[in-house]
PDB file of all heavy atoms in Angstrom:
ATOM      1  N   ARG A 166      11.919  -4.868   3.938  1.00  0.00           N
ATOM      2  CA  ARG A 166      12.936  -3.997   4.587  1.00  0.00           C
ATOM      3  C   ARG A 166      12.575  -3.760   6.046  1.00  0.00           C
ATOM      4  O   ARG A 166      13.448  -3.778   6.917  1.00  0.00           O
ATOM      5  CB  ARG A 166      12.989  -2.683   3.821  1.00  0.00           C
ATOM      6  CG  ARG A 166      13.977  -1.669   4.357  1.00  0.00           C
ATOM      7  CD  ARG A 166      15.396  -1.972   3.957  1.00  0.00           C
ATOM      8  NE  ARG A 166      16.262  -0.889   4.371  1.00  0.00           N
ATOM      9  CZ  ARG A 166      16.687  -0.667   5.616  1.00  0.00           C
ATOM     10  NH1 ARG A 166      16.301  -1.488   6.584  1.00  0.00           N
ATOM     11  NH2 ARG A 166      17.476   0.346   5.901  1.00  0.00           N
ATOM     12  N   ARG A 167      11.290  -3.550   6.327  1.00  0.00           N
ATOM     13  CA  ARG A 167      10.860  -3.332   7.714  1.00  0.00           C
ATOM     14  C   ARG A 167      11.055  -4.597   8.550  1.00  0.00           C
ATOM     15  O   ARG A 167      11.503  -4.528   9.704  1.00  0.00           O
ATOM     16  CB  ARG A 167       9.389  -2.895   7.726  1.00  0.00           C
ATOM     17  CG  ARG A 167       8.686  -2.977   9.061  1.00  0.00           C
ATOM     18  CD  ARG A 167       9.291  -2.064  10.112  1.00  0.00           C
ATOM     19  NE  ARG A 167       8.631  -2.241  11.389  1.00  0.00           N
ATOM     20  CZ  ARG A 167       8.921  -3.196  12.259  1.00  0.00           C
ATOM     21  NH1 ARG A 167       9.881  -4.074  11.995  1.00  0.00           N
ATOM     22  NH2 ARG A 167       8.271  -3.270  13.410  1.00  0.00           N
ATOM     23  N   ALA A 168      10.741  -5.767   7.989  1.00  0.00           N
ATOM     24  CA  ALA A 168      10.918  -7.019   8.733  1.00  0.00           C
ATOM     25  C   ALA A 168      12.395  -7.271   9.030  1.00  0.00           C
ATOM     26  O   ALA A 168      12.765  -7.640  10.151  1.00  0.00           O
ATOM     27  CB  ALA A 168      10.324  -8.181   7.939  1.00  0.00           C
ATOM     28  N   LEU A 169      13.259  -7.048   8.047  1.00  0.00           N
ATOM     29  CA  LEU A 169      14.694  -7.271   8.251  1.00  0.00           C
ATOM     30  C   LEU A 169      15.282  -6.275   9.247  1.00  0.00           C
ATOM     31  O   LEU A 169      16.252  -6.591   9.955  1.00  0.00           O
ATOM     32  CB  LEU A 169      15.439  -7.165   6.911  1.00  0.00           C
ATOM     33  CG  LEU A 169      15.109  -8.236   5.861  1.00  0.00           C
ATOM     34  CD1 LEU A 169      15.908  -7.983   4.588  1.00  0.00           C
ATOM     35  CD2 LEU A 169      15.387  -9.634   6.387  1.00  0.00           C
ATOM     36  N   ASN A 170      14.685  -5.093   9.317  1.00  0.00           N
ATOM     37  CA  ASN A 170      15.185  -4.092  10.267  1.00  0.00           C
ATOM     38  C   ASN A 170      15.044  -4.562  11.711  1.00  0.00           C
ATOM     39  O   ASN A 170      15.785  -4.131  12.592  1.00  0.00           O
ATOM     40  CB  ASN A 170      14.452  -2.763  10.077  1.00  0.00           C
ATOM     41  CG  ASN A 170      15.115  -1.630  10.833  1.00  0.00           C
ATOM     42  OD1 ASN A 170      16.290  -1.341  10.628  1.00  0.00           O
ATOM     43  ND2 ASN A 170      14.368  -0.986  11.727  1.00  0.00           N
ATOM     44  N   GLU A 171      14.075  -5.436  11.957  1.00  0.00           N
ATOM     45  CA  GLU A 171      13.904  -6.005  13.303  1.00  0.00           C
ATOM     46  C   GLU A 171      15.173  -6.749  13.728  1.00  0.00           C
ATOM     47  O   GLU A 171      15.635  -6.635  14.859  1.00  0.00           O
ATOM     48  CB  GLU A 171      12.713  -6.968  13.291  1.00  0.00           C
ATOM     49  CG  GLU A 171      12.334  -7.504  14.648  1.00  0.00           C
ATOM     50  CD  GLU A 171      11.374  -6.600  15.394  1.00  0.00           C
ATOM     51  OE1 GLU A 171      10.657  -5.815  14.747  1.00  0.00           O
ATOM     52  OE2 GLU A 171      11.332  -6.688  16.637  1.00  0.00           O
ATOM     53  N   ILE A 172      15.751  -7.516  12.799  1.00  0.00           N
ATOM     54  CA  ILE A 172      16.986  -8.252  13.101  1.00  0.00           C
ATOM     55  C   ILE A 172      18.147  -7.274  13.245  1.00  0.00           C
ATOM     56  O   ILE A 172      18.937  -7.363  14.191  1.00  0.00           O
ATOM     57  CB  ILE A 172      17.291  -9.274  11.987  1.00  0.00           C
ATOM     58  CG1 ILE A 172      16.137 -10.262  11.822  1.00  0.00           C
ATOM     59  CG2 ILE A 172      18.582 -10.020  12.281  1.00  0.00           C
ATOM     60  CD1 ILE A 172      16.290 -11.215  10.642  1.00  0.00           C
ATOM     61  N   LYS A 173      18.260  -6.341  12.301  1.00  0.00           N
ATOM     62  CA  LYS A 173      19.385  -5.405  12.312  1.00  0.00           C
ATOM     63  C   LYS A 173      19.419  -4.576  13.590  1.00  0.00           C
ATOM     64  O   LYS A 173      20.485  -4.338  14.164  1.00  0.00           O
ATOM     65  CB  LYS A 173      19.300  -4.483  11.089  1.00  0.00           C
ATOM     66  CG  LYS A 173      20.504  -3.557  10.939  1.00  0.00           C
ATOM     67  CD  LYS A 173      20.444  -2.806   9.632  1.00  0.00           C
ATOM     68  CE  LYS A 173      21.571  -1.781   9.551  1.00  0.00           C
ATOM     69  NZ  LYS A 173      22.901  -2.409   9.616  1.00  0.00           N
ATOM     70  N   LYS A 174      18.236  -4.163  14.065  1.00  0.00           N
ATOM     71  CA  LYS A 174      18.188  -3.314  15.263  1.00  0.00           C
ATOM     72  C   LYS A 174      18.445  -4.127  16.530  1.00  0.00           C
ATOM     73  O   LYS A 174      19.195  -3.703  17.410  1.00  0.00           O
ATOM     74  CB  LYS A 174      16.805  -2.642  15.339  1.00  0.00           C
ATOM     75  CG  LYS A 174      16.547  -1.823  16.606  1.00  0.00           C
ATOM     76  CD  LYS A 174      17.367  -0.553  16.631  1.00  0.00           C
ATOM     77  CE  LYS A 174      17.178   0.219  17.939  1.00  0.00           C
ATOM     78  NZ  LYS A 174      15.904   0.950  17.986  1.00  0.00           N
ATOM     79  N   ARG A 175      17.843  -5.301  16.638  1.00  0.00           N
ATOM     80  CA  ARG A 175      17.913  -6.061  17.890  1.00  0.00           C
ATOM     81  C   ARG A 175      19.119  -6.999  17.970  1.00  0.00           C
ATOM     82  O   ARG A 175      19.470  -7.452  19.058  1.00  0.00           O
ATOM     83  CB  ARG A 175      16.622  -6.859  18.070  1.00  0.00           C
ATOM     84  CG  ARG A 175      15.407  -5.976  18.358  1.00  0.00           C
ATOM     85  CD  ARG A 175      14.128  -6.769  18.376  1.00  0.00           C
ATOM     86  NE  ARG A 175      14.212  -7.935  19.248  1.00  0.00           N
ATOM     87  CZ  ARG A 175      13.373  -8.955  19.222  1.00  0.00           C
ATOM     88  NH1 ARG A 175      12.379  -8.961  18.339  1.00  0.00           N
ATOM     89  NH2 ARG A 175      13.515  -9.979  20.045  1.00  0.00           N
ATOM     90  N   ASP A 176      19.726  -7.303  16.823  1.00  0.00           N
ATOM     91  CA  ASP A 176      20.909  -8.175  16.822  1.00  0.00           C
ATOM     92  C   ASP A 176      21.991  -7.526  15.962  1.00  0.00           C
ATOM     93  O   ASP A 176      22.312  -7.998  14.866  1.00  0.00           O
ATOM     94  CB  ASP A 176      20.537  -9.559  16.275  1.00  0.00           C
ATOM     95  CG  ASP A 176      21.671 -10.571  16.424  1.00  0.00           C
ATOM     96  OD1 ASP A 176      22.753 -10.179  16.923  1.00  0.00           O
ATOM     97  OD2 ASP A 176      21.498 -11.736  16.033  1.00  0.00           O
ATOM     98  N   PRO A 177      22.568  -6.419  16.455  1.00  0.00           N
ATOM     99  CA  PRO A 177      23.519  -5.653  15.628  1.00  0.00           C
ATOM    100  C   PRO A 177      24.784  -6.428  15.264  1.00  0.00           C
ATOM    101  O   PRO A 177      25.473  -6.071  14.304  1.00  0.00           O
ATOM    102  CB  PRO A 177      23.848  -4.435  16.501  1.00  0.00           C
ATOM    103  CG  PRO A 177      23.462  -4.818  17.887  1.00  0.00           C
ATOM    104  CD  PRO A 177      22.334  -5.784  17.761  1.00  0.00           C
ATOM    105  N   SER A 178      25.084  -7.499  16.004  1.00  0.00           N
ATOM    106  CA  SER A 178      26.290  -8.277  15.689  1.00  0.00           C
ATOM    107  C   SER A 178      26.069  -9.230  14.513  1.00  0.00           C
ATOM    108  O   SER A 178      27.027  -9.780  13.961  1.00  0.00           O
ATOM    109  CB  SER A 178      26.744  -9.075  16.916  1.00  0.00           C
ATOM    110  OG  SER A 178      25.757 -10.034  17.269  1.00  0.00           O
ATOM    111  N   PHE A 179      24.825  -9.437  14.115  1.00  0.00           N
ATOM    112  CA  PHE A 179      24.521 -10.368  13.027  1.00  0.00           C
ATOM    113  C   PHE A 179      24.910  -9.732  11.694  1.00  0.00           C
ATOM    114  O   PHE A 179      24.423  -8.666  11.326  1.00  0.00           O
ATOM    115  CB  PHE A 179      23.034 -10.722  13.031  1.00  0.00           C
ATOM    116  CG  PHE A 179      22.613 -11.635  11.911  1.00  0.00           C
ATOM    117  CD1 PHE A 179      23.082 -12.943  11.847  1.00  0.00           C
ATOM    118  CD2 PHE A 179      21.735 -11.188  10.925  1.00  0.00           C
ATOM    119  CE1 PHE A 179      22.683 -13.796  10.817  1.00  0.00           C
ATOM    120  CE2 PHE A 179      21.331 -12.034   9.894  1.00  0.00           C
ATOM    121  CZ  PHE A 179      21.818 -13.340   9.842  1.00  0.00           C
ATOM    122  N   ALA A 180      25.794 -10.393  10.967  1.00  0.00           N
ATOM    123  CA  ALA A 180      26.246  -9.920   9.652  1.00  0.00           C
ATOM    124  C   ALA A 180      26.243 -11.119   8.711  1.00  0.00           C
ATOM    125  O   ALA A 180      27.237 -11.835   8.598  1.00  0.00           O
ATOM    126  CB  ALA A 180      27.634  -9.304   9.748  1.00  0.00           C
TER     127      ALA A 180
END
Side-chain angles (χ1 to χ4, degrees):
R166 180 78 174 77
R167 165 63 183 83
L169 295 179
N170 192 58
E171 186 87 24
I172 302 174
K173 186 173 174 61
K174 174 71 184 283
R175 291 174 51 196
D176 188 358
S178 64
F179 178 66

